[in-house]
Amino acid sequence: MRIRRCITLLCTLGTALTVAVPASAASATTTPTDGSRASGTDHRAGSTIRSHEGAAAPDTAPRPLAGVAGMDVSSHQGNVNWAAAWRAGARFAVVKATEGTSYRNPKYGQQYGGSYNVGMVRGAYHFAIPSSSSGATQANFFVNNGGGWKADGRTLPPALDIEYNPYGSICYGLSRAAMAAWISDFSKTVHARTGRHPMIYTSTNWWKQCVGDNASFGMNHPLWIARYSSSPGPLPAGWAAHTIWQHDDSGRFPGDQNVFNGSTAQLRKLATG
């Protein structure tokens, strides 16, 4: 998850952010109470991207060969067998921590701590519901419930999952200017709390429709691009390169399949700040 205007990956990795993340598991709420979300559900990153944008057939889409393989998970994956995922080649994991202002992943502790314990670089993401509360409110909820960071070379910057609304209008009823302002509010709050700008998970089509040509986020937000095809494709305005590519929602690892755009050393540099 990360966006930028820099031409090279190292340029993006060089934009520093700093702060501490809670190492302990967030307390769990099993049933979301957000007014805008369906009761008892847990949106999984990638599912609305696939339903809106389609995907290449699994048996014809080439798997990415370059980079570092990883995964992202939510409560849908339950208690993950992290040792098996490591043996299968996963070297990083991004775990859903929160959604909106009331949902906390009940499996967060097992997933966030478990991935770290087997040797992976790990991180946490927040699924945004911009129609339900301000960016600052959701950023504080996220950081308070696991969405932090520490300069240990093993913890990725906090990530914002901003994409198609699974509960209503695609852009959550916001104009492009209002959506950009919401994302900025979230980012500034995360940065103030953790010292890192959040990675941004999105798709190019959604960004064009709901944020438009605003290129300001590409300067210091790593881009986590979602596209289920043989390449990441065109990127949103402001980014010359992606940091992580989510290329499928099933495969050899539990959850969504990802690849980091660089080496293991560069991945750890991103985690270090």
Side-chain angles (χ1 to χ4, degrees), residues 251-268:
R252 54 184 169 144
F253 315 132
D256 299 315
Q257 314 297 293
N258 295 268
V259 62
F260 173 77
N261 186 19
S263 66
T264 299
Q266 288 171 317
L267 177 63
R268 289 185 177 272

Side-chain angles (χ1 to χ4, degrees), residues 19 41 44 46 140 146 166 181 255:
V19 158
T41 64
R44 183 164 65 92
N140 281 319

Side-chain angles (χ1 to χ4, degrees), residues 165-177:
N165 180 6
Y167 313 115
S169 63
I170 287 175
C171 300
Y172 301 86
L174 300 184
S175 67
R176 290 175 175 176

Side-chain angles (χ1 to χ4, degrees), residues 174-199:
L174 300 184
S175 67
R176 290 175 175 176
M179 183 64 75
W182 192 97
I183 297 170
S184 179
D185 192 31
F186 183 96
S187 173
K188 289 176 181 177
T189 304
V190 167
H191 186 268
R193 294 284 307 274
T194 69
R196 300 297 306 262
H197 293 97
M199 297 192 293

Side-chain angles (χ1 to χ4, degrees), residues 52 129-131 162-166 168-176 178-180 182 205-212:
H52 280 85
I129 307 291
S131 56
I162 186 85
E163 57 170 286
Y164 297 98
N165 180 6
S169 63
I170 287 175
C171 300
Y172 301 86
L174 300 184
S175 67
R176 290 175 175 176
M179 183 64 75
W182 192 97
N205 288 343
W206 182 89
W207 191 269
K208 284 181 178 178
Q209 183 170 347
C210 299
V211 186

Side-chain angles (χ1 to χ4, degrees), residues 5 56 60 66 79 81 91 109 113 141 162 172 186 213 216 261 265:
R5 192 175 281 179
T60 60
N79 291 327
N81 185 334
R91 293 298 179 261
F141 181 72
I162 186 85
Y172 301 86
F186 183 96
D213 296 326
S216 63
N261 186 19

